[in-house]
Amino acid sequence: MKLESKGLISLEINGEIYGYKLYQSLESLNRTNSQRKSAKELNISHTVFNRRILNAEKQLGFKLTEKLGNGSVLTDNGVKLLEEYRKYLIQIAEPDNINIAGGHISSGLLESIDLPFNINVYSSNDNDAFKLAKRGVVDLLTLDDPLIAYERDINFIPIAYDYLVLISSPDCPEIKSIEELNDLDFVKVNGSAQRLAWNTLEHYNLNYTIRHEVNSQFDAFKLVRNSKNLYSFLNASYFNGNEIFKLDTRHVISLVKVNDEDPKTDELIDYLLSEGQKDIIKQGFIGME
């Protein structure tokens, strides 16, 4: 008889048990940005979905979701809670699965492709993902920016190209020249490829001010769009924006092999560099030339 676990895991936080249904709801909302769509996806009513979130927020003492336009998104605390759950799932995953940690952009790319492999993905920024890789709890590290690998002389494998676009608050005038970028206020995303944008601004002797720092590009996008006179540079694969620095900020999305003993890791890499390229391009990235 073959016994299969459905992986319905609960976690204890501050003495309270939070069941898998809460994390399932957060995972769905993180994809759909809509409570109604997530409720439909989970085959429950919108009322039940909303009550599930509200009850957890009351027990935890902080908000898990917030309104954004006509939809809902996870707060920073909601994202952190979901990431802790994903991290735990990776640690207890079946040995046949490929465990992956990486930046939000690169790991999101792998999650969006219909891969012929079983994968578990922990999405964070490059720095936090690298810490997991150093602990040896994952098989593969994905990097939004190869800087970590460059600094440590680590071999990395490019699988796609991307570049940064300028995102602005709704009240901001259209930027038509590089000189108009002088003295603007920006949102910085830690552990991202934005260093290329800052280097470019400095190359042109332009002044800029970092007003806020966040840990994900999605948080930066929300902050910019809900503020006045704010800007940020975000990945073109996920966001539409001004391509004024397209050539200056082109960079590779890459992989670092952590587990050298499992042939499935090599098989996944080979797939991404061959058949998987067409799916990578469909996701808005530039394929390997």
Side-chain angles (χ1 to χ4, degrees):
M1 178 184 296
K2 184 179 180 181
L3 301 178
E4 293 187 359
S5 168
K6 298 298 183 182
L8 306 181
I9 305 299
S10 301
L11 288 181
E12 179 178 325
I13 303 173
N14 296 330
E16 294 284 344
I17 300 294
Y18 294 87
Y20 75 92
K21 290 183 179 179
L22 170 62
Y23 301 104
Q24 190 181 55
S25 299
L26 297 179
E27 188 76 68
S28 176
L29 187 60
N30 194 47
R31 289 194 306 273
T32 67
N33 292 334
S34 166
Q35 288 199 15
R36 293 191 181 278
K37 288 181 181 179
S38 288
K40 184 177 181 180
E41 181 178 277
L42 299 176
N43 198 29
I44 58 177
S45 70
H46 177 250
T47 302
V48 170
F49 186 95
N50 188 51
R51 188 186 307 123
R52 183 179 294 173
I53 299 296
L54 290 176
N55 287 343
E57 289 178 337
K58 183 177 180 180
Q59 288 180 302
L60 290 165
F62 53 76
K63 297 287 289 182
L64 296 173
T65 69
E66 61 185 354
K67 296 288 290 182
L68 179 64
N70 294 323
S72 296
V73 295
L74 298 184
T75 62
D76 288 346
N77 283 327
V79 170
K80 289 176 182 177
L81 186 59
L82 179 57
E83 288 181 349
E84 283 300 314
Y85 188 67
R86 286 173 171 173
K87 188 192 306 183
Y88 183 65
L89 290 181
I90 284 178
Q91 292 173 340
I92 64 170
E94 292 293 326
D96 288 339
N97 292 353
I98 301 173
N99 296 320
I100 300 168
H104 293 289
I105 301 300
S106 53
S107 62
L109 169 60
L110 297 192
E111 285 185 298
S112 65
I113 297 176
D114 186 16
L115 296 169
F117 302 89
N118 295 321
I119 64 172
N120 298 307
V121 180
Y122 168 59
S123 180
S124 67
N125 58 56
D126 281 3
N127 292 325
D128 289 344
F130 181 68
K131 292 175 185 176
L132 272 182
K134 287 200 299 183
R135 288 167 50 191
V137 299
V138 296
D139 302 302
L140 199 63
L141 171 67
T142 72
L143 295 174
D144 293 354
D145 177 12
L147 179 63
I148 284 177
Y150 278 133
E151 290 178 334
R152 295 163 177 80
D153 197 25
I154 297 172
N155 291 328
F156 62 91
I157 304 161
I159 60 169
Y161 290 100
D162 206 353
Y163 60 93
L164 302 181
V165 293
L166 179 68
I167 303 295
S168 59
S169 298
D171 64 320
C172 293
E174 181 182 359
I175 299 295
K176 297 181 179 180
S177 69
I178 291 175
E179 291 72 23
E180 292 175 337
L181 293 170
N182 194 46
D183 288 329
L184 298 184
D185 294 335
F186 288 91
V187 178
K188 178 183 178 181
V189 182
N190 295 317
S192 75
Q194 281 186 340
R195 64 180 179 86
L196 299 171
W198 312 139
N199 290 345
T200 304
L201 288 172
E202 291 163 9
H203 171 76
Y204 288 110
N205 294 316
L206 299 175
N207 298 316
Y208 64 93
T209 302
I210 303 297
R211 292 294 181 191
H212 304 277
E213 294 189 26
V214 296
N215 290 320
S216 92
Q217 298 204 20
F218 306 102
D219 289 336
F221 180 78
K222 288 187 294 182
L223 185 56
V224 168
R225 299 303 293 174
N226 290 315
S227 302
K228 292 184 178 181
N229 299 315
L230 266 183
Y231 296 82
S232 192
F233 288 100
L234 307 179
N235 281 63
S237 55
Y238 278 80
F239 303 94
N240 293 319
N242 188 322
E243 297 186 345
I244 194 167
F245 278 177
K246 179 176 181 178
L247 297 179
D248 301 278
T249 60
R250 179 168 163 136
H251 59 280
V252 296
I253 302 297
S254 59
L255 308 176
V256 174
K257 189 167 63 170
V258 180
N259 184 352
D260 288 322
E261 299 179 358
D262 191 342
K264 293 193 301 299
T265 305
D266 290 316
E267 292 170 10
L268 172 58
I269 293 171
D270 290 341
Y271 178 85
L272 292 171
L273 291 173
S274 54
E275 300 101 305
Q277 282 291 298
K278 61 180 182 297
D279 291 322
I280 288 174
I281 293 171
K282 286 180 182 178
Q283 293 299 321
F285 294 82
I286 302 169
M288 301 303 298
E289 299 170 351

